[in-house]
Amino acid sequence: MARLTERQLVARLRERFRSGSGAVRVGIGDDAAVLTRGAGVSVYSVDACVQSVHFDLGYLTLEDTGYRAFQAAVSDLAAMGATPVAALSALILPRELSSADIDELTRGQALASLECECPIVGGNVSRGHELSLTTTVMGECERPLCRDGARPGEELWVVGPLGLAAAGLSCLRLGRSERSRLTRAVRATSSACVDRCIQAWRRPQALLLRGRELGSVASAGIDVSDGLAADAWQLALASRVKIVVDQERLRSALDKSLLETSRLLRRSALTFALYGGEDYALLATGPSWRRPPCASAIGYVARGAGVSLRARGELRPLKRGYDHLVRS
């Protein structure tokens, strides 16, 4: 495991679990699997949220934890342009969790389930050393939006905010002296910006309606869970193209709450947007004349490979960003 990146492991698993079934339209390697069932198309995905890996209860309530784990799973359906049908939830519960704690955790799941119109219909419970929530989601769509459809000459679009969640987590992680400095610097308007960033991390939203809108016009798509750079790399690799992010267009698309909070943190808003992750915005490609009003153009697709940032007329390669199997 220490020698494998996430991409390398997924490639090995794709080869190991190669399916000869004619019902499998999209298998391992995308945001979700797509199966053709009669005249319909079904979409399936699973997402694990593990304590000390994906979340720290020092920064979250148990209700927050249940809520964000469910929204993160459903975001894969949004990335495919699918409508949720139902979900399964597998919980690993440490012994120190009380019945009241479990009520709080599942209250967060239930709230997210209600908001996403995706009922939880079953699952599994087990004891373990750390809290873990694994959510399987099922959806349906007419035309799944996959990662491999980007073509040279198309635009790169983003729907939803970038960098807010990472900035919010950075605020929560401040040491005592830094937190004191930030508190002294905060005005009423700045405080609202900081609160919005923290809320973006604690309570992300799966962009289901926007995903369905993109599904009818975009050529490729992915949700931004690991940071813009990392997920742009996923699109570029799947589509065998080069993706170019325009720095000025990206900066123009950033939320004012991110810009203000980054200023207070003395950090780069662009770095939060490119490498932060956990925003669950949607990244897509398509021709300019099909760009929907909800999308901002932040770059383009070109011939070649990899991902680059265009700044002041020059291109420089972007790092691949977060990898689930490589220590940062």
Side-chain angles (χ1 to χ4, degrees), residues 6-7 10 14 26-34 45 75-76 79-80 144-151 154 219-226 230-241 243 283-285 301 324:
E6 181 184 4
R7 184 171 62 88
V10 170
R14 184 191 297 118
V26 178
I28 294 172
D30 216 301
D31 283 287
V34 179
S45 185
S75 182
D76 284 337
M80 304 293 288
L145 182 60
C146 300
R147 299 177 181 181
D148 61 0
R151 298 293 178 264
E154 294 181 334
S219 59
I222 189 173
D223 71 330
V224 184
S225 56
D226 298 327
D231 292 311
W233 264 98
Q234 297 276 25
L235 275 185
L237 289 166
S239 295
R240 299 181 181 180
V241 294
I243 287 182
L283 191 65
T285 59
V301 183
H324 291 265

Side-chain angles (χ1 to χ4, degrees), residues 60-297:
L60 290 165
T61 67
L62 285 166
E63 184 175 317
D64 290 333
T65 302
Y67 183 94
R68 73 195 301 270
F70 195 89
Q71 291 279 1
V74 174
S75 182
D76 284 337
L77 297 184
M80 304 293 288
T83 299
V85 173
L88 302 171
S89 174
L91 302 177
I92 296 178
L93 306 171
R95 292 191 178 277
E96 60 267 23
L97 232 60
S98 68
S99 59
D101 290 334
I102 296 171
D103 283 345
E104 184 183 350
L105 178 74
T106 54
R107 185 165 59 245
Q109 289 180 291
L111 177 59
S113 167
L114 184 64
E115 290 181 0
C116 295
E117 298 183 5
C118 182
I120 298 173
V121 297
N124 186 65
V125 292
S126 178
R127 286 294 185 189
H129 295 296
E130 290 188 313
L131 177 61
S132 175
L133 304 86
T134 299
T135 310
T136 301
V137 289
M138 298 158 277
E140 58 187 14
C141 62
E142 293 183 5
R143 172 185 174 264
L145 182 60
C146 300
R147 299 177 181 181
D148 61 0
R151 298 293 178 264
E154 294 181 334
E155 290 183 330
L156 178 69
W157 305 332
V158 67
V159 175
L162 293 170
L164 289 182
L169 180 58
S170 292
C171 290
L172 292 170
R173 284 176 168 169
L174 287 176
R176 182 175 299 175
S177 61
E178 279 296 290
R179 192 179 295 116
S180 175
R181 179 193 65 77
L182 183 65
T183 302
R184 290 195 303 272
V186 164
R187 304 184 303 272
T189 53
S190 300
S191 178
C193 292
V194 170
D195 289 345
R196 181 158 189 260
C197 290
I198 291 173
Q199 186 71 357
W201 182 73
R202 285 178 169 160
R203 297 284 177 121
Q205 302 286 316
L207 302 180
L208 288 163
L209 290 176
R210 297 308 189 195
R212 291 197 287 273
E213 190 173 350
L214 285 174
S216 64
V217 296
S219 59
I222 189 173
D223 71 330
V224 184
S225 56
D226 298 327
L228 174 62
D231 292 311
W233 264 98
Q234 297 276 25
L235 275 185
L237 289 166
S239 295
R240 299 181 181 180
V241 294
K242 181 183 184 70
I243 287 182
V244 178
V245 179
D246 185 278
Q247 179 171 289
E248 290 309 309
R249 283 191 163 196
L250 174 58
R251 190 186 299 276
S252 297
L254 298 181
D255 191 283
K256 67 177 183 180
S257 292
L258 172 64
L259 298 175
E260 177 63 11
T261 303
S262 299
R263 183 187 68 80
L264 292 170
L265 291 169
R266 299 173 182 170
R267 300 275 298 277
S268 164
L270 281 174
T271 299
F272 280 132
L274 287 168
Y275 298 108
E278 297 188 296
D279 287 302
Y280 304 104
L282 300 175
L283 191 65
T285 59
S288 58
W289 59 273
R290 298 192 76 175
R291 186 201 322 150
C294 64
S296 298

